[in-house]
Amino acid sequence: MSIATRSIATPARAAVIHPAPAQPGRALIGRVIEYARTHGLQAGERFPAERNLAQTLGVSRNALREALATLESLRVVEPRPNSGVYLRALSSESSFEATVLLAGLGTAPDAAEVRETIEVRAALERQAITLACARRTPDDLARLARISADTAAVIAAKGNIADCDQAFHLALANASHNSVLVRMLNAFYCLTLERRRVFFANPKRAQASCIQHDQLIAAIDQRKLPRAIKLIDAHLGNAQVYWKETLA
């Protein structure tokens, strides 16, 4: 999928934990991506020469080189010797980190990307639940309980629980005591935060999620793995149904 086929909206609020590059590089990266979108660049097409692109964006060539180097590391662009910088096919060639970066910059995913994201996240969440049931500590359970209480307080104040939801699932991942799994899941949480902010704008969905979180805590506390797996599947299944209907 080319950038030209994806809409880039106004950047939303930043996630609690964000893996994207820091300002000002992050802003310039966003402008390079926006340039590709607005000028209809397709996969395999060349960006303007470095001097011309820097002038168009109103930045120094050094700053542009740094932004392009980041995009190259994420496999969004490809420099070709004695030729220039070319746009890659994002759907098949770019890295997962690039997907997270684009989401953080406000790039709206399509229905297929949302479905595939939920499928992969569900597999990772099941593994986190499996390990958490075997390895969770009293501190892990206490942390989950505190976040659940914070979630209930936000609901009572008629707020949006998206940040609490992210904190809960990250704490759940941490209870697996597998740092690689935590980093992988955190990328998914950052990727989907703004979508979940929309999802939890509905108070009924927020309340239902809070109840499901408490049920998950109890299952992990009692090391009831089959029940915990069933709960996490149902928990993520609700979101999958919602986004399928919304993006249909």
Side-chain angles (χ1 to χ4, degrees), residues 9 26-27 35 64 161 177 182 215 244:
R26 175 177 155 80
Y35 177 93
L64 178 61
I161 69 164
H177 294 273
V182 171
Q215 292 171 337
K244 182 178 180 180

Side-chain angles (χ1 to χ4, degrees), residues 194-205:
E194 296 309 322
R195 294 206 303 272
R196 284 181 286 118
R197 208 178 297 285
V198 174
F199 180 79
F200 288 125
N202 184 314
K204 291 183 179 179
R205 285 195 287 267

Side-chain angles (χ1 to χ4, degrees), residues 118-162:
I118 293 175
E119 286 176 351
V120 176
R121 179 189 165 189
L124 294 175
E125 292 262 16
R126 290 188 200 103
Q127 182 61 23
I129 288 285
T130 299
L131 294 176
C133 281
R135 300 175 178 176
R136 94 294 180 274
T137 66
D139 285 345
D140 293 325
L141 295 171
R143 186 178 303 110
L144 288 165
R146 285 196 301 272
I147 295 170
S148 182
D150 290 343
T151 304
V154 171
I155 291 173
K158 302 187 184 305
N160 192 299
I161 69 164

Side-chain angles (χ1 to χ4, degrees), residues 220-232:
I220 293 170
D221 182 14
Q222 299 164 20
R223 303 187 194 275
K224 293 184 177 179
L225 179 57
R227 174 164 172 73
I229 294 294
K230 183 177 180 180
L231 286 168
I232 197 65

Side-chain angles (χ1 to χ4, degrees), residues 79-133:
R80 299 179 186 174
N82 304 316
S83 180
V85 176
Y86 291 77
L87 182 68
R88 284 182 177 272
L90 294 184
S91 61
S92 60
E93 298 181 21
S94 62
S95 68
F96 179 65
E97 290 85 351
T99 302
V100 177
L101 170 64
L102 291 171
L105 291 169
T107 304
D110 59 27
E113 288 173 316
V114 171
R115 184 188 68 251
E116 291 169 0
T117 297
I118 293 175
E119 286 176 351
V120 176
R121 179 189 165 189
L124 294 175
E125 292 262 16
R126 290 188 200 103
Q127 182 61 23
I129 288 285
T130 299
L131 294 176
C133 281

Side-chain angles (χ1 to χ4, degrees), residues 46-113:
R46 185 171 62 88
F47 281 87
E50 181 184 279
R51 181 189 299 275
N52 295 337
L53 184 57
Q55 288 177 345
T56 298
L57 298 177
V59 298
S60 70
R61 294 176 69 178
N62 284 339
L64 178 61
R65 288 190 195 110
E66 290 179 5
L68 291 174
T70 298
L71 289 170
E72 179 188 358
S73 70
L74 296 174
R75 299 182 62 79
V76 174
V77 302
E78 175 189 11
R80 299 179 186 174
N82 304 316
S83 180
V85 176
Y86 291 77
L87 182 68
R88 284 182 177 272
L90 294 184
S91 61
S92 60
E93 298 181 21
S94 62
S95 68
F96 179 65
E97 290 85 351
T99 302
V100 177
L101 170 64
L102 291 171
L105 291 169
T107 304
D110 59 27
E113 288 173 316

